[in-house]
Amino acid sequence: TVGAVARDAAGNLAAGTSTGGFTAKRPGRVGDTPIIGAGTFADNATCAVSTTGTGEIFIRFTAASEISARIRYASQTLEQAASGVIAELFSNGGDGGLIAIGRAGPPSLPFNSSGMYRGFVLSDGVFRTAIHRE
Amino acid sequence: MAEPSLAIHGGAGTLPLTGMDPAMADAHHTALRAALAAGWKVLSKSGSALDAVTVAVMTLEDDDLFNAARGAVFNADGKLEMDAGIMSGRDRAAGAVAGICGPRNPILAARAVMEHSETVLLAGRGAEEFLAAQDIEFQSFDYFCTERRVVALNQELARRASGAPDTRSDADRHG
């Protein structure tokens, strides 16, 4: 699975996710990637999210829109909401990670698996990438 | 005026730290930076977040290092099924495709559903018929059929047939 989230100069947010699923999956099985609110979500008022991992758990917990809800209704920061959802998924058998970006500030890139191919760039234009827990 | 920013992921199916030689790690960092560069080129010229996300994901889809499009994994029947979703925070417009194979860039397929259909999610043959009428590049099965993914499929099918426990790494499970 691959994904991106972005905030533009006008303050608009967007999210995109694309996947092949997992190796030797049951024919016809669809994970969270195309399920809006689970693997892909964007709302200017809160955040944009793209996820990767055990799709069934991310669907059942509507992971992406859950982050938005915690920001909107529990006044959590992006980092609190994103990390909290990843931790809760892990305790329910969901491993993987996500990237999220809010109305302002840096993105959040939490994961509970052994690693996540990831990167981000801020308004300084510097490209930062990582794979494991570096 | 907001501060533009972009984040990307290439999936949680990373090779274990011990199993990744420096050349492999460098290849992944280079591929991630290429996707950041593609998206940042849009944002740094005051382009839209939607366009930045689209080109960043397309760059990752085109790279067979990652499990999407060209690097997609096989299902248990040895076939390729791809899924994609895209969403605009400005108006909550959204588009998604599931269970398709053919478009070189499934993220463009999802965007076509968002921009040129009355639906949010289109799946299977109906989705492929709709997309065939859109201005989207299709590729043959061979384009998506990478040796590394064929090997991973055969290893997993052999394991299942043997009844051996599932000790696969994140890379093998998540593709």
Side-chain angles (χ1 to χ4, degrees):
Chain A
T1 305
V2 303
V5 292
R7 180 179 62 232
D8 61 32
N12 292 319
L13 304 180
T17 318
S18 180
T19 190
F22 63 84
T23 306
K25 68 183 178 185
R26 175 189 296 273
R29 177 266 183 188
V30 176
D32 59 322
T33 292
I35 310 298
I36 300 300
T40 305
F41 179 80
D43 169 42
N44 276 9
T46 54
C47 61
V49 182
S50 171
T51 72
T52 172
T54 323
E56 281 68 16
I57 307 288
F58 283 74
I59 293 174
R60 288 169 47 216
F61 281 76
T62 61
S65 57
E66 174 71 16
I67 294 168
S68 173
R70 293 184 185 196
I71 293 169
R72 185 193 295 271
Y73 302 115
S75 303
Q76 288 187 3
T77 66
L78 178 76
E79 188 59 38
Q80 287 169 333
S83 302
V85 166
I86 282 296
E88 184 172 344
L89 291 180
F90 188 69
S91 56
N92 287 278
D95 68 346
L98 61 87
I99 54 176
I101 199 162
R103 299 171 58 185
S108 172
L109 303 91
F111 59 96
N112 59 45
S113 43
S114 57
M116 180 168 75
Y117 299 116
R118 61 199 187 280
F120 67 94
V121 51
L122 307 173
S123 54
D124 60 3
V126 175
F127 298 154
R128 302 166 178 86
T129 62
I131 297 173
H132 297 98
R133 294 203 171 276
E134 63 266 39
Chain B
M1 177 88 164
E3 285 200 350
S5 182
L6 168 73
I8 61 170
H9 70 78
T14 58
L15 292 167
L17 190 55
T18 51
M20 183 175 275
D21 64 42
M24 177 64 88
D26 286 349
H28 282 87
H29 283 290
T30 300
L32 291 169
R33 280 195 291 270
L36 287 174
W40 186 246
K41 187 175 174 187
V42 172
L43 290 177
S44 59
K45 295 187 171 75
S46 298
S48 73
L50 199 59
D51 288 345
V53 157
T54 302
V55 294
V57 171
M58 287 173 71
T59 306
L60 294 167
E61 286 175 331
D62 288 346
D63 193 314
D64 68 359
L65 281 177
F66 304 108
N67 172 21
R70 170 133 177 71
V73 299
F74 289 91
N75 69 18
D77 285 353
K79 292 191 173 56
L80 289 159
E81 295 174 344
M82 298 167 201
D83 312 325
I86 192 165
M87 188 167 188
S88 161
R90 182 170 54 82
D91 51 6
R92 287 213 180 197
V97 290
I100 66 164
C101 183
R104 171 182 173 142
N105 294 106
I107 196 69
L108 284 182
R111 187 155 179 181
V113 171
M114 177 173 80
E115 294 177 338
H116 304 303
S117 89
E118 73 290 352
T119 66
V120 171
L121 172 57
L122 276 180
R125 192 163 48 82
E128 289 171 355
E129 287 169 1
F130 165 79
L131 295 167
Q134 303 296 317
D135 181 21
I136 285 180
E137 180 187 351
F138 272 65
Q139 287 288 348
S140 69
F141 177 80
D142 289 348
Y143 169 81
F144 299 102
C145 189
T146 62
E147 177 62 24
R148 191 159 67 99
R149 298 306 190 189
V150 173
V151 168
L153 172 67
N154 292 333
Q155 283 174 348
E156 174 54 10
L157 294 179
R159 180 195 68 79
R160 290 183 186 178
S162 72
D166 187 354
T167 57
R168 289 174 295 162
S169 68
D170 284 344
D172 291 339
R173 282 188 303 116
H174 289 298

